[in-house]
Amino acid sequence: YTHECGVSMTIARVAIDSGYATQDVYRWARLQSPQQVLVVKGLEHAAAPIGQPSHVEVTVHGKRIKRGVRLWPVATSMLKGELYRWLRLYKPTDPDDPYPHGYCHFPQLNEEFFKQLTAEQLVESQTRSGYKKLEWQKTRDRNEALDTRIYARAAAIQFGMDRFDARKWKQLREAIEIQAHEIEEERTS
């Protein structure tokens, strides 16, 4: 991806859903760096946004392949709730005020993207035994923007972005500025 200042940026983490065409996903993931690619599986209920990975490939004798594909569980319900709360945050009216934590910045995107992003709602239902439970239900067929946002968030958490402090963000900004300066020097020389 190209930063607005012209610097090429690499992808730090990628999360790929294994819920469809599972074996194809595993085959592709085997060819990628396990430090960069996370094979994920959404779970409705979990204790953490992204859990510990488990080895999902086994030998013909049933032993786990230690360097095989690892599957990362993602608490989709938890992350959808977080995203929907963040979508309700307002942009500060004073330019000197910081954006609230979680504020969502979007480039120019079409209406279909936002319909997909908000294509589910939290609904209360009852179990057979009479207990109430909350579950996410689609309000329209297409929800790919929501799914990709949730898995990108999980990848960001696994990468450690939630633990970045102001110093770390400053280091990243400075590294981009140095690269941008080098690009500009190459153009002018």
Side-chain angles (χ1 to χ4, degrees):
Y1 290 95
T2 303
H3 189 276
E4 62 186 9
C5 66
V7 173
S8 291
M9 299 172 59
T10 60
I11 297 171
R13 289 289 188 283
V14 171
I16 182 167
D17 187 3
S18 65
Y20 175 77
T22 305
Q23 294 307 314
D24 292 336
V25 170
Y26 291 173
R27 195 171 7 268
W28 178 82
R30 267 186 234 110
L31 303 173
Q32 312 308 314
S33 165
Q35 284 76 37
Q36 188 177 28
V37 173
L38 309 176
V39 177
V40 297
K41 176 72 176 157
L43 301 176
E44 195 61 29
H45 302 288
I50 185 163
Q52 290 296 315
S54 59
H55 294 275
V56 292
E57 293 187 296
V58 294
T59 66
V60 292
H61 301 294
K63 291 188 178 183
R64 290 186 179 158
I65 300 172
K66 289 186 180 181
R67 296 199 183 263
V69 173
R70 297 182 305 162
L71 187 65
W72 294 80
V74 174
T76 54
S77 183
M78 181 187 299
L79 293 178
K80 287 174 187 176
E82 176 189 74
L83 172 63
Y84 277 51
R85 284 190 306 278
W86 286 355
L87 290 173
R88 290 187 190 100
L89 295 174
Y90 289 97
K91 181 178 180 178
T93 53
D94 183 347
D96 294 330
D97 286 345
Y99 284 92
H101 172 74
Y103 180 83
C104 299
H105 302 263
F106 294 102
Q108 281 298 110
L109 297 167
N110 63 25
E111 184 178 342
E112 177 62 19
F113 172 85
F114 292 103
K115 285 182 178 180
Q116 287 186 24
L117 188 66
T118 58
E120 295 186 20
Q121 63 183 0
L122 194 57
V123 176
E124 187 178 278
S125 62
Q126 273 193 332
T127 64
R128 289 183 193 160
S129 54
Y131 292 102
K132 292 180 182 178
K133 70 175 185 172
L134 294 173
E135 62 184 1
W136 289 94
Q137 292 181 355
K138 283 184 171 183
T139 57
R140 62 191 315 265
D141 288 335
R142 308 275 317 259
N143 69 339
E144 291 87 353
L146 176 59
D147 285 349
T148 56
R149 177 72 182 219
I150 295 307
Y151 291 137
R153 173 75 176 117
I157 292 168
Q158 192 276 340
F159 183 63
M161 287 180 71
D162 285 12
R163 296 182 302 279
F164 286 8
D165 57 11
R167 191 186 86 232
K168 176 68 173 176
W169 287 112
K170 183 180 178 190
Q171 287 174 343
L172 293 171
R173 230 181 348 268
E174 288 171 351
I176 289 173
E177 289 169 358
I178 289 168
Q179 290 178 345
H181 182 71
E182 290 170 357
I183 290 170
E184 188 57 35
E185 282 184 348
E186 285 179 20
R187 284 188 200 147
T188 57
S189 59

